[in-house]
Amino acid sequence: MQVERTGPLGESSEQLGELAQQLGDEKHAGHVELAVIGLGYVGLPLAREAAAVGLRVAGLDRDPRVVEALNAGHSHVDDVSDEDVRRMRAAGFTAYTDDACLARAQTVVICVPTPLSEDGGPDLSAVISAARAVAGRLRRGQLVVLESTTYPGTTDEVVRPLLEESGLKVGKDVALAFSPERIDPGNTTHGLRGTPKVVGGCTPSCAARAVAFYGKLVDTVVQAKGTREAEMAKLLENTYRHVNIALVNELAILCQELHVDVWDAIRCAGTKPFGFQAFRPSAGVGGHCIPIDPNYLSYKVRSIGYEFRFVELAREINAHMPEYVVRRAQDLLNHQGRALHGSRVLLLGVTYKPDVADMRESPAAPVARLLRAREAEIAFHDPYVPLWSVDGVTVPRVGDPAAAVREHDLTILLQDHSAYDLPALADEARLLFDTRGRIFRPGVEVL
């Protein structure tokens, strides 16, 4: 394992190490080395990697359907196959809905969702609930790690006091750290083991415990100065993408008015071997990270009396893209002598990224909502989505996209799944609007 340190270690971790060893050496029935709270896109791959290196793993999830399926050998996460789950089960993995399993774990990692609340601020209810569950089962020598994305200060200001309600002290009796998840659904090149893991501890001894734990699972551990720096690192990564996507999205709108091919401009700029990274326009941003995480940073900055203007502007631009896509669609139909009202519109690909079933924050939903508001008749196809509803209303799903594009007045490509034969669809479609920049030929309109 390679360890990179960005801050001083300072104190010794001998006391916590001895406590952890005592906990690990206990021979009571059912002892596990890792308990993962939240068995979704982050927690389940972590549990799989831990089981693969020989750790005894337990999982905790509040959804009984998820727990039942996992214990039966079935996965609900794109990046974890049923065969992966069966191997985990064979290695001793068991999923639970009862938090009693936490008391038997040497390390507990919290991987619960952190969505936005109705007022746009962070919703930490799942984190708080998980921390309270851990506190109720906390034992001397345990390591607790928060992986859920949040604003700087959460680990120390929210999780730590909840754990210490147990009477045990962080840095003395138990260890507490933050390690931001870096899971990229559908990415087969950069998996958990090969992606450097950032770790920040509440104290140097806490950091040492967390570094030692993650060193079993990943090739490189990067030690941050503290929990706040580790929390900020995650927000910085996603804010960087959020702002740059907003830049090219606004550029796409301007290039349309200037009669400039934005895709070709990006292609040419991308040939520069330094100082430039290519980002590409789209109908909006999706997934949990990019549209959500920068708002955590913006919230924290506002709480100290400042504005994070880059984030606010990027959010405004990216949120406008579905409206822009629908306006372009309306213009395309108008040029064909048709109104959007009453036209049959087919949406191809409604997940937030290619070749995954993940629909979190997908821009397809606001696009569909806006089309409905203009009284278009919409249908969809997605090889990963058998059923889709927007605002509680089911959107009809077509079976054969090649036949469907011939029957619809307009087809909008929102996600370029590899299962789609895009040239063939372009040949068959009455009118095709490509928001992904994949089909460059006469008769196809590109964002």
Side-chain angles (χ1 to χ4, degrees):
M1 175 195 66
Q2 178 182 352
V3 180
E4 299 177 11
R5 295 186 173 89
T6 59
L9 281 178
E11 67 195 51
S12 168
S13 58
E14 290 181 3
Q15 184 179 21
L16 278 175
E18 291 172 359
L19 290 170
Q21 186 62 47
Q22 292 169 13
L23 184 61
D25 287 343
E26 290 182 356
K27 300 301 181 182
H28 63 283
H31 165 71
V32 296
E33 289 153 302
L34 171 65
V36 179
I37 304 179
L39 299 173
Y41 282 87
V42 175
L44 194 57
L46 176 66
R48 177 187 60 186
E49 191 66 36
V53 300
L55 300 187
R56 288 160 291 182
V57 184
L60 175 64
D61 199 282
R62 64 183 179 182
D63 189 337
R65 295 169 301 177
V66 168
V67 169
E68 182 179 355
L70 288 172
N71 287 336
H74 302 298
S75 175
H76 60 291
V77 172
D78 288 321
D79 292 344
V80 179
S81 67
D82 288 352
E83 180 59 31
D84 289 335
V85 176
R86 287 192 287 270
R87 281 195 291 265
M88 291 167 62
R89 293 283 288 138
F93 170 80
T94 303
Y96 301 89
T97 55
D98 184 349
D99 63 21
C101 64
L102 302 179
R104 298 185 275 107
Q106 184 173 337
T107 297
V108 178
V109 179
I110 299 172
C111 303
V112 296
T114 49
L116 295 179
S117 61
E118 291 184 1
D119 63 0
D123 180 356
L124 295 181
S125 57
V127 170
I128 291 170
S129 177
R132 284 176 172 155
V134 175
R137 306 287 184 175
L138 201 61
R139 304 170 62 207
R140 287 169 59 84
Q142 283 183 311
L143 165 66
V144 180
V145 183
L146 176 64
E147 285 206 6
S148 305
T149 305
T150 185
Y151 59 83
T154 302
T155 306
D156 196 51
E157 298 169 5
V158 177
V159 177
R160 181 175 187 165
L162 290 172
L163 296 185
E164 292 188 336
E165 287 179 2
S166 66
L168 301 176
K169 296 301 180 182
V170 167
K172 178 182 178 183
D173 304 308
V174 295
L176 175 61
F178 180 82
S179 181
E181 58 90 2
R182 282 175 160 176
I183 298 295
D184 184 16
N187 190 330
T188 58
T189 302
H190 301 289
L192 193 150
R193 173 161 288 280
T195 303
K197 202 79 171 76
V198 174
V199 171
C202 283
T203 68
S205 61
C206 293
R209 280 286 311 280
V211 166
F213 166 72
Y214 282 110
K216 302 173 184 177
L217 309 182
V218 301
D219 296 332
T220 303
V221 179
V222 180
Q223 186 173 326
K225 185 176 181 181
T227 56
R228 284 173 168 80
E229 288 74 19
E231 291 161 337
M232 180 63 82
K234 171 66 173 180
L235 298 183
L236 176 58
E237 293 169 11
N238 289 328
T239 299
Y240 167 81
R241 289 185 54 78
H242 186 54
V243 168
N244 279 283
I245 291 171
L247 170 64
V248 295
N249 276 338
E250 187 167 37
L251 192 64
I253 296 172
L254 298 177
C255 283
Q256 175 69 14
E257 301 300 320
L258 294 170
H259 306 290
V260 174
D261 185 336
V262 67
W263 300 95
D264 193 56
I266 293 170
R267 179 185 66 84
C268 292
T271 63
K272 186 178 181 181
F274 56 90
F276 181 81
Q277 179 180 353
F279 289 82
R280 292 171 177 81
S282 66
V285 293
H288 177 273
C289 292
I290 296 175
I292 301 296
D293 296 353
N295 294 293
Y296 274 67
L297 184 53
S298 181
Y299 162 84
K300 187 63 174 180
V301 169
R302 286 197 304 272
S303 73
I304 58 175
Y306 289 87
E307 293 183 355
F308 199 169
R309 290 177 289 173
F310 267 117
V311 168
E312 302 295 338
L313 182 58
R315 180 169 53 198
E316 178 184 333
I317 292 169
N318 288 330
H320 171 68
M321 289 308 293
E323 176 75 37
Y324 176 70
V325 165
V326 171
R327 180 169 66 79
R328 286 280 298 276
Q330 186 170 12
D331 291 343
L332 284 172
L333 287 166
N334 288 343
H335 290 153
Q336 298 290 319
R338 295 191 59 90
L340 181 56
H341 178 105
S343 288
R344 301 184 67 194
V345 180
L346 176 65
L347 304 179
L348 289 182
V350 297
T351 61
Y352 92 89
K353 67 181 298 187
D355 300 332
V356 299
D358 195 342
M359 299 187 65
R360 293 175 296 175
E361 307 298 325
S362 170
V367 168
R369 190 175 296 117
L370 291 164
L371 289 169
R372 275 181 176 165
R374 289 159 175 78
E375 299 190 40
E377 298 179 16
I378 63 171
F380 87 100
H381 179 273
D382 192 299
Y384 297 91
V385 182
L387 182 67
W388 184 40
S389 62
V390 178
D391 300 330
V393 179
T394 300
V395 180
R397 185 184 191 275
V398 303
D400 180 6
V405 296
R406 294 192 294 267
E407 299 167 357
H408 286 76
D409 301 303
L410 172 64
T411 298
I412 305 177
L413 178 68
L414 293 175
Q415 198 52 263
D416 52 330
H417 296 301
S418 59
Y420 288 142
D421 185 343
L422 297 180
L425 291 174
D427 288 339
E428 297 293 335
R430 294 186 189 178
L431 188 61
L432 180 61
F433 181 22
D434 173 15
T435 71
R436 304 302 301 174
R438 292 292 307 278
I439 312 169
F440 295 95
R441 60 169 62 187
V444 175
E445 184 76 8
V446 182
L447 182 67

